[in-house]
């Protein structure tokens, strides 16, 4: 135990003997302790005096910056010191350590950078992973690298995983079946009051009279009336915090009630104000995100109001874009939040959902490694030398598809080579400690001599947007943020702290850039030399960071763009950038069919053509356009899936034009072809012979279905010069079908399935092979006088149906047995016809009568 440290009498102290023994004998342990047990502030100090520490340091990993700073300060206070002495903290842009520091509370990628720079962790006695149940990406990666380092280089390194709600058995197995030590019991009971009618209300289900913010504001006002003590309100994000604050301020709050926000983007002073005890005679209401869910004890808080919502970023590897979604929390998170009310005295928790709906919540929040952008993790693995993530031990292995997408992006950014190995540029990117996209931006800025501009852009994109609400929605141009950052435009009072934080981040990034080993700068054209001054360089640098999000405007009207990744993107409202031909969409909400552009920068056509010339390819395409109903032959310059330029292709081959036209005919269907009676008759005659007993083996299939499936062979040769639907009228389908027949088949066709039959009158009558009674001829009754029997075709195999007509071409009889007709029904037909056509000749004996084509006077 550290000298000067007195145990404060918290529940975790009962577990310390077992914990010491587990770490001493096994070298690793899992500590399960409920909220308020004191594990974060007691355990590191209690272990500092263990013999195996031997003057080394204990590194405590916290998933949240606010918690890391608060925990370090609290441990230092318990020793009667200031942070930076025995206990310090280290995070991006804020480090408070000294030579005397023995316990370092670190966050974000600090532990990962420590391991990458010194895998043996010389001088480090133990790594403590606090609040591991949050399953942050950095915690999972840090533990995987620590386990590998311990196995290969540092067997003496102690590993301790601490959690409030995570089931420890799986973690213990990952640590080599390490002992699980439990600290039991919450300090004080918390009463739960369910105040909703169903599950937590999501924003998309809100109505005009109700919303999650209104519900929480009503619950908070009720809690202030019904219970004593300060109030901690959990909301999904800063926007909801501001809205609930407005609603509460508009209501009748009691005198002495202070409303204090608490979220990650606030200044340290603003966060400290929310964490400090309320002044005498006042009550505070802390409106917080889930940043306050674990590790922190807020003095005076006896009441928790839980919206049941959180905001998480979900990554889609198919589009390499994330969607920021508000969704319901898990039961484990609800338990964590409830525990905030019982840290120092009995409390009460108001939940904005019903007791019956509580069981419908997920048991645990999914680990970040299963949902997040894995590009930073993939870069760290490559830097570690683990080309295959499976060589490391994971509680949940990174999903293969998401990891493959991340590696593809890194290769495109120049961080990995084609074999998946880290490049020298990739090592420089990893040293910068920002997302690989922003690291690529910084390195390109360095090559061009634009370090300050690059650092400003990277710092802007690493923090919350400097513009809020309606101002951000009305202006998506990142250059507006650059003007704020440089003091070239006036900032609102609420933006000044955020601007100063971004400036501090930009200075640090610029310092890191200048500290990198010298590399040869790129030769600069006069235009590029002036780019950093005119801000035309912003689009170039952002294009290097987001090569998959360079967009070109669709159509003459502004607002909608096509991106290099093939996705559509659009502004939600009127924007000056909408008139630009090209832009880089930096921040996108990918929930809709067209992703919503929230932040972008213009980029010139000339810049795209020059900067990305290595990825631009010339593509000749000959395709059918459904909209134009024509074949379009184009020569295009393409950057990935984005067409930069397009012009007509004048030398397209006949084969390519024909193939595209055939695609159009398939889409339009055979009915779009200029079928006439002759073509349809020929088709039917061939199908008639194909239906003969031996026909399928000797005659081609020419039914519509068969023709549609063989367009290339029978129609393709006849499409020369035809590239539009209206030009199909030129086609001669009868010759095209006849070309399918050999000379012998054409002769057999005329013999076996003649197009016409010679009647006794001398007329040649068309044979119908398509009707239900086919083959058939429609002939006037007078023209078959003297014909004793039904005509037959196909070598006498098939009788022809006779559709016998009156002189007015109206049917009077249909028969396939002419002889029977003469003997029987003819008498009645003759009687009827004589009455209707008295001038015509209707003999009693039709077999002895002379056939005639016209009117023949009766004798």
């Amino acid at each position: 135990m550290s000298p000067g440290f007195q145990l404060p009498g918290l529940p975790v102290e009962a577990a310390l003997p077992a914990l010491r023994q587990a770490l001493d004998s096994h070298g690793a342990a899992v500590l399960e302790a409920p909220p308020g047990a004191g594990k974060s502030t007691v355990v590191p100090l209690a272990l500092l005096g263990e013999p195996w520490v031997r003057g080394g340091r204990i590194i405590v990993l916290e998933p949240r910056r606010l918690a890391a700073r608060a925990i370090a300060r609290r441990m230092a206070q318990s020793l009667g010191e200031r942070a930076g002495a025995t206990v310090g903290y280290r995070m991006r842009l804020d480090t408070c350590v000294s030579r005397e520091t023995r316990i370092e509370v670190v966050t974000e990628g600090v532990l990962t950078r420590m391991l990458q720079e010194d895998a043996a962790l010389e001088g480090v006695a133990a790594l403590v992973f606090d609040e591991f149940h949050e399953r942050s990406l950095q915690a999972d990666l840090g533990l995987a690298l620590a386990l590998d380092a311990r196995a290969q280089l540092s067997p003496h390194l102690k590993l301790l995983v601490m959690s409030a709600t995570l089931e420890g058995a799986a973690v213990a197995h990952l640590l080599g079946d390490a002992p699980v030590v439990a600290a039991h019991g919450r300090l004080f009971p918390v009463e739960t009051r369910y105040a909703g009618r169903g599950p937590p209300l999501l924003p998309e289900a809100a109505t005009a009279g109700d919303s999650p913010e209104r519900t929480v504001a009503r619950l908070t006002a009720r809690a202030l009336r019904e219970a004593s003590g300060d109030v901690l309100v959990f909301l999904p994000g800063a926007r909801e915090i501001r809205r609930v604050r407005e609603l509460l301020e508009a209501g009748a709050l009691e005198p002495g009630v202070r409303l204090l926000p608490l979220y990650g983007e606030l200044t340290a002073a603003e966060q400290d104000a929310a964490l400090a005890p309320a002044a005498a005679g006042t009550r505070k209401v802390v409106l917080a995100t889930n940043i306050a869910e674990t590790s922190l004890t807020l003095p005076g808080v006896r009441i928790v109001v839980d919206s049941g919502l959180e905001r998480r970023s979900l990554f889609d590897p198919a589009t390499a874009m994330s969607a920021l979604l508000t969704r319901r929390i898990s039961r484990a998170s609800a338990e964590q939040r409830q525990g905030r009310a019982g840290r120092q005295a009995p409390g009460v928790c108001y939940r904005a959902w019903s007791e019956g709906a509580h069981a419908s919540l997920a048991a645990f929040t999914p680990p970040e490694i299963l949902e997040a952008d894995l590009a930073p993790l993939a870069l760290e693995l490559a830097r570690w030398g683990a080309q295959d993530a499976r060589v490391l031990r994971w509680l949940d292995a990174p999903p293969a598809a998401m990891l493959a997408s991340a590696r593809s992006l890194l290769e495109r950014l120049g961080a990995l080579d084609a074999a998946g190995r880290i490049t020298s540029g990739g090592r420089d990117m990893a040293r910068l400690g920002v997302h690989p996209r922003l690291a690529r931006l910084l390195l390109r800025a360095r090559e061009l001599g634009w370090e300050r501009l690059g650092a400003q852009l990277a710092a802007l994109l690493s923090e919350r947007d400097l513009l809020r609400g309606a101002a951000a929605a009305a202006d998506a141009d990142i250059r507006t943020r650059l003007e704020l950052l440089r003091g070239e435009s006036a900032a609102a009072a609420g933006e000044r702290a955020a601007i100063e934080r971004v400036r501090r981040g930009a200075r640090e990034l610029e310092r890191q850039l200048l500290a990198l080993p010298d590399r040869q700068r790129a030769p600069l054209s006069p235009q590029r030399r002036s780019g950093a001054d005119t801000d035309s360089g912003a689009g170039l640098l952002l294009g290097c960071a987001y090569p998959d999000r360079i967009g070109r405007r669709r159509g003459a009207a502004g607002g909608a763009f096509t991106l290099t990744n093939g996705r559509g993107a659009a502004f939600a409202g009127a924007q000056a950038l909408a008139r630009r031909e090209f832009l880089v969409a930096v921040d996108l909400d990918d929930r809709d069919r067209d992703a919503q552009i929230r932040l972008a920068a213009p980029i010139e056509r000339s810049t795209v053509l020059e900067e990305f010339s290595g990825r631009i390819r010339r593509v000749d395409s000959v395709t059918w356009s459904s909209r134009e109903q024509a074949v379009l032959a184009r020569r295009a310059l393409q950057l990935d899936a984005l067409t930069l330029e397009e012009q007509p292709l004048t030398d397209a081959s006949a084969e390519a034009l024909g193939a595209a036209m055939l695609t159009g005919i398939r889409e339009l269907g055979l009915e779009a072809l200029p079928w006439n009676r002759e073509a349809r008759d020929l088709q039917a005659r061939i199908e008639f012979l194909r239906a003969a007993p031996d026909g399928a083996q000797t005659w081609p299939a020419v039914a519509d279905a068969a023709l549609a499936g063989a367009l290339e062979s029978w129609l393709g040769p006849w499409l020369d010069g035809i590239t539009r639907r209206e030009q199909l009228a030129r086609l001669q389908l009868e010759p095209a079908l006849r070309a399918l027949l050999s000379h012998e088949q054409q002769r057999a066709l005329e013999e076996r399935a003649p197009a016409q039959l010679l009647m006794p009158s001398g007329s040649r009558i068309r044979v119908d092979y398509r009707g239900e009674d086919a083959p058939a001829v429609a002939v006037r009754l007078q023209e078959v006088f003297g014909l004793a029997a039904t005509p037959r075709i196909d070598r006498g195999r098939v009788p022809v149906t006779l559709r016998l007509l009156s002189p007015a071409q109206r049917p009077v009889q249909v028969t396939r047995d002419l002889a029977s007709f003469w003997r029987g029904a003819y008498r009645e037909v003759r009687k009827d016809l004589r009455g209707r056509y008295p001038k015509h000749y209707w003999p009693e004996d039709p077999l002895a009568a002379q056939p005639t084509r016209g009117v023949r006077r009766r004798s």
Side-chain angles (χ1 to χ4, degrees):
M1 190 177 300
S2 175
F5 174 61
Q6 298 295 320
L7 289 173
L10 294 173
V12 75
E13 296 168 16
L16 290 176
L19 184 61
R20 291 189 180 99
Q21 182 179 359
L23 291 171
D24 188 54
S25 61
H26 196 278
V30 176
L31 175 61
E32 293 180 339
K39 59 185 180 300
S40 302
T41 54
V42 172
V43 171
L45 289 170
L47 296 178
L48 195 56
E50 291 299 293
W52 44 263
V53 175
R54 293 191 299 273
R57 290 174 296 153
I58 295 176
I59 306 297
V60 181
L61 180 67
E62 284 291 337
R64 301 182 188 277
R65 298 168 65 182
L66 172 63
R69 186 168 51 244
I71 287 168
R73 288 175 175 174
R74 190 156 301 160
M75 284 193 285
Q77 289 171 1
S78 68
L79 297 176
E81 301 175 350
R82 296 174 63 88
T86 304
V87 182
Y89 59 85
R90 192 189 300 267
M91 61 191 71
R92 189 170 67 89
L93 303 182
D94 191 2
T95 297
C96 185
V97 296
S98 65
R99 291 182 180 179
E100 290 75 34
T101 300
R102 305 282 307 285
I103 297 175
E104 282 190 29
V105 185
V106 303
T107 188
E108 297 171 329
V110 174
L111 174 60
T112 302
R113 288 197 293 275
M114 286 180 170
L115 283 160
Q116 295 282 19
E117 292 167 5
D118 177 15
L121 288 180
E122 293 293 336
V124 176
L127 294 180
V128 179
F129 294 82
D130 194 18
E131 307 295 357
F132 194 74
H133 59 269
E134 292 199 20
R135 298 299 307 282
S136 71
L137 182 63
Q138 286 295 332
D140 275 14
L141 172 62
L143 184 56
L145 299 185
L147 286 168
D148 196 42
R150 186 170 180 256
Q152 305 295 331
L153 300 170
S154 304
H156 63 277
L157 182 67
K158 309 292 185 183
L159 298 179
L160 172 59
V161 175
M162 303 196 301
S163 171
T165 59
L166 184 71
E167 301 228 359
V171 183
H173 180 69
L174 185 69
L175 295 178
D177 294 324
V180 177
V181 179
H184 300 286
R186 179 182 288 153
L187 280 178
F188 298 98
V190 176
E191 177 190 354
T192 304
R193 297 178 184 176
Y194 292 94
R197 298 179 180 176
L201 181 64
L202 292 169
E204 56 265 29
T207 62
D210 202 7
S211 68
E213 294 86 355
R214 288 184 180 277
T215 300
V216 170
R218 287 195 299 267
L219 269 183
T220 304
R222 173 185 163 187
L224 285 168
R225 293 192 306 268
E226 295 180 350
S228 61
D230 295 337
V231 185
L232 174 59
V233 182
F234 283 102
L235 291 157
R239 182 176 66 247
E240 291 81 3
I241 287 174
R242 288 191 292 271
R243 178 61 180 147
V244 169
R245 184 172 187 171
E246 291 170 358
L247 290 169
L248 289 172
E249 287 174 341
L253 283 178
E254 298 176 3
V257 174
R258 295 182 63 204
L259 302 178
L260 299 169
L262 182 59
Y263 51 92
E265 290 79 16
L266 295 175
T267 65
E270 290 171 320
Q271 293 175 350
D272 289 344
L275 298 178
T282 66
R283 298 177 73 182
K284 68 178 182 181
V285 176
V286 179
L287 305 170
T289 63
N290 58 3
I291 193 173
E293 194 171 291
T294 57
S295 296
L296 298 172
T297 295
L298 278 71
V301 167
R302 306 289 183 271
I303 308 165
V304 164
V305 175
D306 190 356
S307 68
L309 302 176
E310 65 178 352
R311 188 163 293 134
R312 287 174 67 92
S313 179
L314 300 184
F315 182 75
D316 183 354
T319 62
M321 289 190 283
S322 297
L324 198 60
L325 301 180
T326 300
R327 64 186 193 183
R328 298 180 177 110
I329 61 173
S330 66
R331 296 197 300 275
S333 290
E335 181 181 344
Q336 285 288 108
R337 294 180 176 189
Q338 181 189 48
R340 303 298 98 185
R343 285 292 183 94
Q344 296 176 318
V348 59
C349 175
Y350 292 83
R351 288 175 170 170
W353 62 94
S354 69
E355 185 173 5
H358 185 71
S360 68
L361 301 179
F364 294 97
T365 303
E368 190 180 7
I369 200 170
L370 301 182
E371 299 181 334
D373 178 2
L374 296 187
L377 180 139
L379 182 59
E380 295 294 350
L381 291 180
R383 187 183 180 191
W384 190 258
Q387 289 179 259
D388 186 349
R390 292 174 296 183
V391 302
L392 299 178
R393 294 160 62 189
W394 306 89
L395 196 57
D396 289 282
M402 296 177 71
L403 197 55
S405 173
R407 286 171 171 157
S408 176
L409 174 64
L410 292 178
E411 184 178 342
R412 191 169 179 179
L413 295 175
L416 302 182
D417 62 20
R421 295 183 295 264
I422 193 167
T423 63
S424 59
R427 294 190 183 280
D428 285 344
M429 289 167 66
R431 292 188 186 101
L432 291 170
V434 294
H435 191 283
R437 289 186 185 272
L438 301 184
R440 174 67 186 115
L441 180 155
L442 289 166
L443 293 183
R444 186 60 177 140
R446 184 169 177 270
E447 292 170 357
L448 296 169
W450 298 350
E451 288 91 347
R452 179 153 299 175
L453 173 62
Q456 289 172 341
L457 287 169
L460 280 169
L461 296 175
S462 297
E463 298 287 349
R464 178 187 59 81
D465 192 355
L466 293 183
L467 297 183
R468 297 180 181 180
D475 188 352
D477 196 333
I478 199 170
R479 295 174 301 171
T480 304
R481 283 75 173 168
L482 282 172
E483 292 171 0
L484 282 171
L485 194 62
R486 295 167 176 173
E488 297 170 5
S489 60
E495 296 168 353
R496 291 169 189 160
I499 289 172
E500 186 50 45
R501 184 170 59 251
V502 175
R503 286 174 180 162
R504 189 168 69 251
R507 289 192 295 269
E508 174 61 21
L509 289 171
E510 187 176 1
R511 183 195 65 76
Q512 291 182 44
L513 268 185
L514 296 173
L516 288 175
D518 281 338
R519 299 195 189 278
Q520 186 175 1
R521 293 186 186 272
L524 299 182
S525 63
Q527 179 185 8
R528 288 195 170 183
R529 277 196 295 270
S530 64
D533 297 327
T534 63
D535 285 343
S536 63
L540 186 158
L541 294 180
L542 291 168
C544 293
Y546 299 90
D548 51 334
R549 300 186 195 174
I550 298 171
R552 184 187 182 196
R553 192 180 64 227
R554 294 201 303 257
F561 293 78
T562 299
L563 307 181
T564 43
N565 63 10
R567 283 296 310 276
F571 291 107
Q575 294 279 345
L577 284 176
R579 298 191 295 270
R580 293 288 190 143
E581 183 185 10
F582 288 92
L583 54 70
V584 183
V586 177
D587 187 13
L588 291 159
D589 187 336
D590 193 33
R591 283 180 288 186
D592 298 324
R593 181 177 180 181
D594 270 2
Q596 181 182 331
I597 303 173
R598 295 190 292 210
L599 193 62
I603 185 170
E604 300 299 325
R605 169 188 287 272
S606 58
T607 300
V608 175
L609 294 175
E610 180 181 357
E611 183 69 20
F612 304 100
S613 58
R615 295 190 65 88
I616 294 174
R617 66 191 191 281
R618 191 187 78 176
V619 178
D620 292 345
S621 64
V622 181
T623 58
W624 170 260
S625 168
S626 300
R627 186 169 62 88
E628 300 287 339
Q629 300 273 281
V631 174
L632 299 183
R634 295 285 186 266
R635 172 160 290 164
L637 285 182
Q638 288 189 341
L639 176 59
D640 300 329
L642 178 64
T643 298
L644 304 176
E645 294 178 0
E646 194 173 52
Q647 59 187 9
L649 178 63
T650 58
D651 57 351
S653 67
E655 291 80 6
L657 292 169
M661 192 66 211
L662 286 172
T663 299
I665 293 170
R666 289 189 189 94
E667 178 185 296
L668 297 170
L670 284 187
E671 60 272 15
L673 299 177
W675 291 98
N676 56 21
R677 192 174 78 171
E678 288 75 17
R680 284 299 190 190
D681 282 354
L682 177 59
Q683 179 191 32
R685 292 166 65 196
I686 297 171
E687 280 296 303
F688 167 74
L689 292 178
R690 181 173 168 78
D694 61 343
Q697 289 76 39
T698 56
W699 293 91
V702 293
D704 281 4
L707 291 178
L711 286 174
E712 291 88 350
S713 61
W714 75 275
L715 190 61
W718 301 82
L719 291 176
D720 189 27
I722 295 177
T723 58
R724 307 185 67 85
R725 178 174 185 168
E726 58 265 26
Q727 294 172 345
L728 290 174
R730 303 178 192 170
L731 279 174
Q732 300 284 323
L733 294 183
E734 184 183 8
L737 290 174
R738 197 173 290 278
L740 294 173
L741 306 178
S742 66
H743 179 72
E744 290 76 11
Q745 285 176 318
Q746 293 190 44
R747 187 174 60 191
L749 178 70
E750 299 306 322
E751 292 174 355
R752 297 177 56 185
Q756 298 174 334
L757 285 182
L758 181 63
M759 295 293 105
S761 65
S763 297
R764 290 193 172 274
I765 305 296
R766 167 182 168 268
V767 182
D768 178 8
Y769 288 87
R770 292 187 284 155
E772 292 183 2
D773 55 355
V777 294
V779 60
R780 285 191 297 268
L781 177 60
Q782 295 154 304
E783 295 198 54
V784 294
F785 289 162
L787 184 61
T790 301
R792 303 178 77 87
I793 60 174
D794 193 14
R795 299 169 183 162
R797 183 177 68 86
V798 180
V800 176
T801 301
L802 295 175
R803 302 171 188 157
L804 300 175
L805 309 175
S806 71
Q809 300 289 329
R810 292 172 181 167
V812 296
Q813 188 71 23
V814 176
T815 182
R816 280 193 174 184
D817 188 351
L818 187 61
S820 296
F821 170 70
W822 293 138
R823 291 193 303 269
Y826 173 70
R827 292 183 181 88
E828 293 298 322
V829 170
R830 173 177 178 266
K831 183 187 301 183
D832 179 60
L833 292 175
R834 285 183 71 189
R836 285 192 285 147
Y837 304 99
K839 295 181 180 181
H840 287 256
Y841 175 55
W842 305 107
E844 290 186 15
D845 184 1
L847 294 177
Q850 183 179 354
T852 179
R853 298 180 187 177
V855 177
R856 180 185 173 193
R857 299 291 182 182
R858 290 190 295 170
S859 56

